[in-house]
Amino acid sequence: MPRPRSTIAEDRSRLRTQGTPIITVMLGSAITILPLIAVTPTMPPFGLLILLAWRLLRPELWPVWIAVPLGLFDDIISGQPLGSATFLWTVTLIGIEMTSHKLLWRDYWQDWLIAALSISFCLLGGFYFARLSTGGGSILVVLPQIALSVLLFPTAVRLCALIDRWRLP
């Protein structure tokens, strides 16, 4: 007797549905280990961009505490002071969670504004933590990185949406 055809929900593996977003954030954080030389910090924090893109695209995907292990991984890979991304990413996701309940609906521009504020907060906070541990430096150095990161956010959302179509066939 032939086996009955399975449903779509049974065909999806747990690694594919739940692991893919986590792996993409970790790969985004791992981009910082590429051997690129820069005088100023201009490379966007791809791990943060992908984390925000997943959170704003699929709010039900993760609990708020997911920022702790992902931020810790980013701290270890990027060389930032340990706990800086962990703290900043957690505060960011808590802030997004709190504002999400107050908004009746969100559109593309509101998501971009939320992401711009979150990116600015995390990069300025990361600069502050790095300055505490090393001293010196002007905050103006971080402004191009913030601008480039905010401008690249829609690309991160499109990438996550494309991966999401593969993740959930």
Side-chain angles (χ1 to χ4, degrees), residues 11-168:
D11 288 341
R12 292 186 236 145
S13 72
R14 188 174 173 105
L15 177 66
R16 186 172 177 173
T17 56
Q18 294 177 350
T20 301
I22 293 171
I23 291 169
T24 56
V25 172
M26 292 172 80
L27 286 174
S29 293
I31 287 178
T32 59
I33 63 173
L34 291 175
L36 298 173
I37 300 169
V39 177
T40 60
T42 54
M43 181 179 268
F46 291 107
L48 174 65
L49 293 178
I50 294 172
L51 175 81
L52 291 173
W54 278 115
R55 175 59 185 88
L56 293 172
L57 189 65
R58 294 273 186 190
E60 75 284 351
L61 186 63
W62 289 329
V64 176
W65 61 261
I66 196 71
V68 174
L70 293 175
L72 184 62
F73 178 81
D74 187 75
D75 284 336
I76 292 169
I77 291 291
S78 68
Q80 281 281 73
L82 201 59
S84 61
T86 306
F87 172 74
L88 294 168
W89 289 16
T90 304
V91 169
T92 299
L93 288 189
I94 289 171
I96 290 172
E97 187 71 26
M98 289 174 59
T99 58
S100 293
H101 292 298
K102 292 182 181 177
L103 297 173
L104 296 176
W105 54 272
R106 282 194 342 241
D107 65 355
Y108 175 77
W109 298 106
Q110 287 173 328
D111 281 351
W112 203 358
L113 178 65
I114 291 169
L117 293 172
S118 300
I119 291 166
S120 300
F121 170 73
C122 287
L123 288 177
L124 291 172
F127 174 78
Y128 175 74
F129 284 125
R131 190 167 179 201
L132 284 177
S133 65
T134 60
S138 172
I139 200 162
L140 297 176
V141 173
V142 183
L143 295 181
Q145 185 182 21
I146 292 172
L148 184 61
S149 300
V150 169
L151 292 175
L152 278 177
F153 178 73
T155 306
V157 171
R158 283 191 183 261
L159 176 67
C160 289
L162 200 105
I163 293 170
D164 199 36
R165 269 191 246 147
W166 170 82
R167 182 180 76 92
L168 301 173

